[in-house]
């Protein structure tokens, strides 16, 4: 019964061309097999239906435990030591100190609106902006603390990892980055993304050893210039198309043919909202993300060993788009398979070179957080 | 306890939780504790059997943890694990872990739902009792404007208010409300909608739909419906309903992240509370009708026709899915509840007035 699971036969996954191997040995090797993993996922979905979603804490824990213990790094499997109890504690804390006050304030405010209290438009705009700021800030705080929890519950060779640094500082950095990026029409984003990533990576510890992270902003700008120019072109095209559409609309309107005017405008909408911005825009951004990932991996080191990467913009683009299509077409049933494909992509595109002696790696002295991911759960970013 | 022959050596990998060094060891299962022994015979650690807990079982073997520490033993074959499990009381398998999680999740969900179901009426009543009537009036005014706007379109003029009809309506309202106990003034209006229904809003607003007016055979039936809606106002039911649905959607958002199942369960709860409120309103209406000398016969008749209409449409919604109690039961209650059955039912409106009222929308 137990021996059955030890067989190292994994489902063959094809995700592009792997003739180019990363330098050194593989960083991780996935032994996740589709059938048991899919079964776990389905049980999770059904139990969440029965318990109105309450099972998510247990489901997430079970799935992580399974994944971690089936992924090998240098001959040893990872171990996930988190529990559903931790996640529930995190949820309850956020419920009491964050969600409850927030929901009550919002509800009371909406009652005032119903009763017809005078609210000036200025106040409404201010409220809107504060809301966005609030969401961006707490969203980034949530992702940072979720990372802290996950790392603290990830063991390798009996040594646990840790995320040092402050979630609030990271949240402020993030809000600042969003502002600067908006002010510079996007041009500051690569520099900003390096600042944010460095804050996360340089504060990441495995046992007593810190992760090394030395990216070069210049490298990122090389690919960013391409994306930025293309996006600017798209924006120009969008403006031109919108203008033509408006002209057509007014022409019909002057002929007082309202129906035709609306018709002409409506037929242009798919192009305006989807064909011009989304169809080329999203692949462009994914391509850039692949390039960034490649550079970030190559810039990372640990105990004298360097990570190597053969991740490409196109390969990453292909992976994400195909995974998304599969997920949508199967209404989410393909999620375990797409997760396996992600693992497999890392397995084939990330390597570890150089030699460092892990015997010197000692147990972390960072105190583990007692509860986890409440905020991430509230924002629904606490995916596996 | 264990015979010497049962004491066995098993191969395993050992991590001491202090450094990342992998030790190839033999695990010696002795009486009361296990020894972790290297090939040269050094004992690296000793674990009591009750300290051994299951960590996970992945592609690398079965991992056993020492309680409250990061030290791990990894067994590559199941015989070793089975032998250890026979001795260690807390060494459960993954399946047992998972089953316990499922049970806890189901039980806590049920407990939360039951708790909310029983506590919510108390909390709602508390909030309603501290809500000032002036506030309720403002709320009702804004809601009623919304309702009238919702139903006003090209085919419907919203509120029906031709002068003769309005006079007849106010005469009827005045008579029916003689013995009711309203916290707020009733604002009764007819809405131009072809539906057999009536409703009460916060702030004393009562709307009778044109469809009901046309269907009603005689003023007694209309009086019965009015008394019922007035009872809702007296008991501040619309306010209860509003506070409750606010509270419930708030809870459901927070607990279940606005899931479909969450909103379904709150719909089920709402219907159950609302049936209770309907029954209360029926009882209060029968009482006030009785005291006004009108008797509940009109109300009973109305329910009777509602029942036959329901039977015809044969939608057959089971009781727990319906917001109103079954009409047959309401009819029986109206008939048995009225004490003044024998008394002659008083006429309130003249035939002309009744006709004016029925044509209030024309």
């Amino acid at each position: 019964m137990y021996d059955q699971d030890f067989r190292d036969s994994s489902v063959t996954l094809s995700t592009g061309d792997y003739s180019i191997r990363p330098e050194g040995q593989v960083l991780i090797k996935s032994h996740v097999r589709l059938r048991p993993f899919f079964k776990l996922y389905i049980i999770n979905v059904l139990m969440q239906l029965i318990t109105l979603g309450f099972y998510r804490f247990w489901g997430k824990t079970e799935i992580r435990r399974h994944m971690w213990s089936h992924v090998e790094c240098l001959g040893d499997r990872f171990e996930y030591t988190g529990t559903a109890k931790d996640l529930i504690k995190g949820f309850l804390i956020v419920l009491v100190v964050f969600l409850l006050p927030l929901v009550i304030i919002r509800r009371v405010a909406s009652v005032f609106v119903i009763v017809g209290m005078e609210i000036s438009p200025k106040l409404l705009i201010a409220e809107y902006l504060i809301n966005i700021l609030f969401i961006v800030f707490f969203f980034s705080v949530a992702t940072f603390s979720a990372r802290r929890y996950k790392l603290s519950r990830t063991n390798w060779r009996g040594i646990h990892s840790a995320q040092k640094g402050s979630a609030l500082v990271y949240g402020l950095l993030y809000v600042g980055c969003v502002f600067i990026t908006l002010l510079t029409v996007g041009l500051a984003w690569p520099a900003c993304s390096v600042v944010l990533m460095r804050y996360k990576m340089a504060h990441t510890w495995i046992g007593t050893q810190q992760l090394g992270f030395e990216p070069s902003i210049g490298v990122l700008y090389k690919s960013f210039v391409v994306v930025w120019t293309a996006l600017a072109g798209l924006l120009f095209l969008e403006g031109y198309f919108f203008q033509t559409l408006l002209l057509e609309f007014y022409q019909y309107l002057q002929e007082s043919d309202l129906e035709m005017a609306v018709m002409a405008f409506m037929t242009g909408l798919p192009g305006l909202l989807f064909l011009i911005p989304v169809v080329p825009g999203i692949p462009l951004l994914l391509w850039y993300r692949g390039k960034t990932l490649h550079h970030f991996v190559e810039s990372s080191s640990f105990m004298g060993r360097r990570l190597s990467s053969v991740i490409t913009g196109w390969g990453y683009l292909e992976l994400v788009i195909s995974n998304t299509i599969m997920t949508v077409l199967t209404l989410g049933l393909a999620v375990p398979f797409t997760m396996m494909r992600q693992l497999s992509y890392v397995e084939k595109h990330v390597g570890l070179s150089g030699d460092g002696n892990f015997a010197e790696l000692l147990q972390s002295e960072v105190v583990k957080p007692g509860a986890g991911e409440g905020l991430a759960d509230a924002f629904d970013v606490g995916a596996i | 306890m264990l015979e010497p022959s049962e004491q066995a050596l098993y191969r395993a990998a050992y991590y001491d939780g202090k450094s990342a060094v992998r030790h190839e060891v033999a695990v010696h299962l002795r009486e009361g504790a296990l020894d972790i022994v290297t090939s040269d015979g050094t004992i690296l650690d000793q674990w009591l059997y009750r300290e051994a807990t299951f960590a996970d079982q992945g592609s690398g073997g079965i991992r056993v943890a020492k309680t409250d520490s990061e030290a791990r033993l990894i067994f590559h074959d199941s015989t070793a694990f089975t032998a250890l499990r026979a001795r260690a009381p807390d060494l459960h398998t993954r399946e047992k872990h998972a089953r316990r999680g499922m049970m806890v999740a189901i039980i806590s969900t049920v407990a939360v739902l039951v708790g909310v179901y029983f506590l919510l009426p108390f909390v709602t009543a508390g909030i309603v009792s501290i809500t000032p009537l002036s506030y309720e009036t403002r709320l009702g005014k804004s809601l009623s404007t919304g309702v009238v706007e919702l139903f006003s379109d090209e085919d419907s003029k919203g509120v029906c208010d031709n002068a003769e009809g309005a006079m007849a309506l106010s005469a009827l309202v005045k008579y029916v409300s003689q013995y009711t106990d309203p916290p707020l003034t009733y604002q009764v209006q007819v809405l131009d909608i072809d539906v057999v229904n009536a409703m009460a809003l916060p702030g004393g607003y009562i709307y009778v739909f044109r469809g009901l007016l046309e269907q009603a055979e005689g003023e007694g039936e209309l009086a019965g419906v009015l008394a019922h809606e007035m009872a809702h106002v007296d008991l501040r039911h619309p306010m209860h309903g509003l506070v409750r649905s606010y509270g419930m959607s708030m809870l459901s958002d927070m607990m279940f992240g606005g899931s479909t199942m969450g909103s379904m369960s709150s719909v089920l709860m709402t219907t159950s509370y609302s049936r209770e409120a309907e029954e209360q309103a029926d009882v209060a209406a029968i009482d006030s009708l009785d005291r006004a000398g009108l008797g509940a016969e009109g109300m009973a008749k109305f329910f009777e026709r509602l029942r036959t209409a329901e039977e015809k449409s044969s939608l057959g919604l089971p009781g727990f899915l319906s917001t109103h109690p079954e009409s047959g039961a309401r009819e029986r209650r109206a008939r048995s509840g009225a004490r003044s059955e024998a008394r002659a039912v008083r006429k309130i409106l003249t035939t002309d007035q009744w006709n004016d009222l029925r044509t209030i929308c024309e």
Side-chain angles (χ1 to χ4, degrees):
Chain A
M1 171 195 173
Y2 298 107
D3 298 338
Q4 192 192 346
D5 266 18
F6 299 156
R7 272 186 289 129
D8 280 356
S9 62
S10 45
V11 174
T12 326
L13 301 157
S14 87
T15 36
D17 177 22
Y18 301 119
S19 48
I20 309 156
R21 307 286 310 179
E23 205 184 312
Q25 55 192 131
V26 291
L27 176 69
I28 62 155
K29 189 165 162 44
S30 167
H31 301 282
V32 178
R33 288 185 299 133
L34 188 58
R35 264 181 65 180
F37 194 42
F38 186 71
K39 189 178 150 199
L40 206 58
Y41 179 78
I42 290 295
I43 289 175
N44 173 34
V45 170
L46 292 179
M47 279 300 294
Q48 285 212 41
L49 278 176
I50 294 173
T51 61
L52 316 174
F54 200 52
Y55 185 72
R56 64 182 182 277
F57 308 111
W58 286 270
K60 206 181 273 181
T61 305
E62 289 289 324
I63 288 175
R64 281 183 192 166
R65 188 169 303 199
H66 185 90
M67 271 177 88
W68 268 233
S69 65
H70 285 82
V71 171
E72 176 186 344
C73 176
L74 304 175
D76 282 271
R77 309 304 187 272
F78 288 107
E79 179 188 353
Y80 180 71
T81 60
T83 60
K85 212 164 127 189
D86 295 337
L87 297 182
I88 292 170
K89 256 195 256 171
F91 162 73
L92 289 178
I93 291 170
V94 166
L95 186 73
V96 172
V97 305
F98 183 80
L99 275 186
L100 204 65
L102 188 75
V103 168
I104 288 176
I105 289 170
R106 295 225 56 127
R107 292 283 164 156
V108 169
S110 72
V111 167
F112 280 126
V113 172
I114 290 177
V115 176
M117 293 272 182
E118 289 296 318
I119 292 174
S120 74
K122 261 188 203 161
L123 204 70
L124 279 180
I125 292 170
E127 198 230 346
Y128 187 69
L129 287 178
I130 289 170
N131 267 347
I132 290 179
L133 213 69
F134 196 77
I135 288 170
V136 169
F137 177 70
F138 280 103
F139 187 85
S140 46
V141 168
T143 47
F144 193 86
S145 1
R147 187 178 150 89
R148 191 200 303 284
Y149 176 77
K150 237 190 277 187
L151 281 173
S152 76
R153 298 309 195 264
T154 299
N155 281 20
W156 180 73
R157 295 192 178 172
I159 303 292
H160 74 87
S161 319
Q163 172 78 68
K164 292 189 184 176
S166 147
L168 295 178
V169 170
Y170 182 77
L172 289 175
L173 278 176
Y174 203 99
V175 170
C177 268
V178 168
F179 259 113
I180 295 170
T181 305
L182 287 177
L183 286 179
T184 56
V185 273
L187 281 171
W189 181 245
C192 265
S193 68
V194 165
V195 170
L196 291 173
M197 199 59 177
R198 185 183 285 140
Y199 193 82
K200 279 200 285 197
M201 294 293 279
H203 283 103
T204 300
W205 292 66
I206 302 172
T208 43
Q209 301 291 323
Q210 192 174 8
L211 232 61
F213 189 64
E214 284 144 12
S216 129
I217 294 178
V219 173
L220 288 188
Y221 269 103
K222 263 186 215 155
S223 21
F224 187 70
V225 165
V226 179
V227 174
W228 193 86
T229 318
L231 285 178
L234 281 180
L235 200 68
F236 180 75
L237 202 66
E238 179 92 351
Y240 179 74
F241 187 66
F242 188 56
Q243 195 191 7
T244 340
L245 214 59
L246 273 186
L247 282 177
E248 206 178 341
F249 180 72
Y250 276 119
Q251 205 173 344
Y252 278 118
L253 216 57
Q254 267 166 358
E255 294 162 13
S256 58
D257 193 346
L258 186 69
E259 210 167 306
M260 273 307 285
V262 172
M263 270 282 275
F265 197 75
M266 293 300 267
T267 42
L269 273 187
L272 193 70
L273 297 177
F274 185 72
L275 281 174
I276 298 179
V278 177
V279 171
I282 287 192
L284 269 170
L285 289 173
L286 284 175
W287 177 82
Y288 173 68
R289 211 177 131 75
K291 286 275 185 189
T292 317
L293 271 177
H294 169 74
H295 182 63
F296 282 167
V297 170
E298 290 254 295
S299 316
S300 308
S301 60
F302 183 69
M303 287 186 85
R305 298 196 185 203
R306 297 207 72 83
L307 291 187
S308 59
S309 153
V310 287
I311 298 171
T312 58
W314 285 112
Y316 182 74
L317 166 77
E318 200 186 312
L319 174 76
V320 174
I321 299 263
S322 54
N323 273 356
T324 310
I325 291 175
M326 268 191 254
T327 307
V328 171
L329 287 185
T330 59
L331 301 172
L333 275 185
V335 165
F337 189 63
T338 61
M339 283 160 93
M340 287 171 66
R341 291 182 83 220
Q342 279 180 33
L343 280 176
S344 162
Y345 189 81
V346 176
E347 178 177 333
K348 284 162 181 158
H349 292 81
V350 178
L352 190 67
S353 58
D355 32 37
N357 189 1
F358 289 125
E360 288 162 22
L361 179 59
L362 300 178
Q363 185 60 278
S364 167
E365 279 152 18
V366 179
V367 180
K368 296 180 179 183
E373 300 190 6
L375 206 51
D377 183 64
F379 277 104
D380 219 5
V381 291
I384 314 299
Chain B
M1 200 163 63
L2 290 163
E3 295 300 315
S5 62
E6 284 181 84
Q7 299 175 2
L9 281 170
Y10 296 100
R11 284 188 51 194
Y14 172 65
Y15 290 103
D16 61 9
K18 296 183 190 85
S19 82
V21 178
R22 179 188 174 102
H23 303 274
E24 294 299 337
V25 295
V27 173
H28 187 190
L29 301 181
R30 289 187 301 106
E31 200 182 318
L34 63 83
D35 287 344
I36 296 162
V37 196
T38 59
S39 55
D40 60 14
T42 324
I43 295 179
L44 289 176
D45 200 2
Q46 285 189 328
W47 294 8
L48 297 174
Y49 285 123
R50 61 178 156 77
E51 290 176 318
T53 53
F54 177 80
D56 60 23
Q57 180 194 339
S59 53
I62 304 169
R63 189 157 21 203
V64 176
K66 188 178 180 183
T67 313
D68 297 325
S69 93
E70 312 282 345
R72 298 291 185 265
L73 273 173
I74 297 160
F75 295 101
H76 298 282
D77 63 296
S78 53
T79 30
F81 180 70
T82 316
L84 177 57
R85 210 168 99 184
R87 293 164 170 83
D90 292 329
L91 200 62
H92 309 302
T93 53
R94 180 175 59 201
E95 285 77 13
K96 186 156 182 181
H97 264 283
R99 270 200 306 271
R100 202 170 53 187
M102 287 181 198
M103 284 311 290
V104 175
I106 291 174
I107 291 169
S108 5
T109 309
V110 172
V112 166
L113 289 181
V114 169
V116 168
Y117 182 83
F118 285 107
L119 278 179
L120 203 59
F122 292 102
V123 177
T124 309
I127 293 176
V128 170
S129 70
I130 59 166
T131 310
L133 287 171
S134 61
Y135 177 85
E136 187 180 331
T137 313
R138 286 174 77 175
L139 191 70
K141 197 169 177 185
S142 125
L143 282 175
S144 66
T145 320
V147 166
V148 172
E149 268 171 20
L150 190 69
F151 289 117
S152 309
D153 54 33
E154 290 154 31
D155 312 319
S156 159
K157 53 179 171 178
V159 174
C160 301
D161 53 358
N162 81 43
E164 292 83 13
M167 269 167 63
L169 181 62
S170 89
L172 187 66
V173 167
K174 202 174 157 195
Y175 199 91
V176 176
S177 61
Q178 280 179 93
Y179 296 97
T180 60
D181 182 22
L184 301 142
T185 340
Y186 301 121
Q187 317 271 349
V188 185
Q189 284 175 318
V190 177
L191 280 184
D192 189 15
I193 308 158
D194 189 20
V195 175
V196 185
N197 207 348
M199 63 182 184
L201 294 181
Y205 289 85
I206 293 173
Y207 289 107
V208 178
F209 295 176
R210 177 172 49 81
L212 187 142
L213 215 54
E214 285 166 356
Q215 282 252 325
E217 288 169 5
E219 57 181 33
E221 288 189 20
L222 184 59
V225 171
L226 281 175
H228 173 87
E229 297 304 327
M230 285 170 179
H232 276 316
V233 171
D234 298 355
L235 296 163
R236 291 182 90 182
H237 281 159
M239 207 51 200
H240 276 92
L242 201 67
V243 170
R244 198 166 44 226
S245 66
Y246 252 70
M248 223 140 41
S249 69
M250 227 158 90
L251 271 179
S252 142
D253 277 2
M254 282 188 305
M255 296 300 296
F256 311 120
S259 75
T260 325
M261 294 296 274
S263 35
M264 254 177 69
S265 63
S266 65
V267 166
L268 280 182
M269 278 193 192
T270 310
T271 56
S272 139
Y273 293 128
S274 118
R275 260 180 295 137
E276 216 177 295
E278 293 306 324
E279 280 166 19
Q280 282 178 8
D282 281 349
V283 171
I286 290 163
D287 183 60
S288 70
L289 285 169
D290 197 53
R291 290 211 276 171
L294 290 168
E297 185 55 28
M299 198 168 152
K301 261 193 190 154
F302 181 73
F303 288 139
E304 189 184 340
R305 272 191 305 105
L306 215 57
R307 176 170 53 89
T308 41
E310 275 167 15
E311 279 165 6
K312 258 185 218 155
S313 73
S314 72
L315 246 173
L317 279 179
F320 66 89
L321 275 177
S322 169
T323 54
H324 282 63
E326 192 225 334
S327 299
R330 302 178 75 182
E331 177 195 339
R332 281 193 295 280
R333 182 172 30 244
R335 287 231 154 86
S336 65
R339 278 164 289 156
S340 60
E341 235 178 319
R343 229 189 293 164
V345 174
R346 298 267 288 272
K347 285 291 274 182
I348 309 158
L349 303 177
T350 63
T351 316
D352 281 350
Q353 274 180 311
W354 174 236
N355 285 334
D356 285 344
L357 180 51
R358 292 190 69 176
T359 54
I360 191 171
C361 290
E362 282 163 17

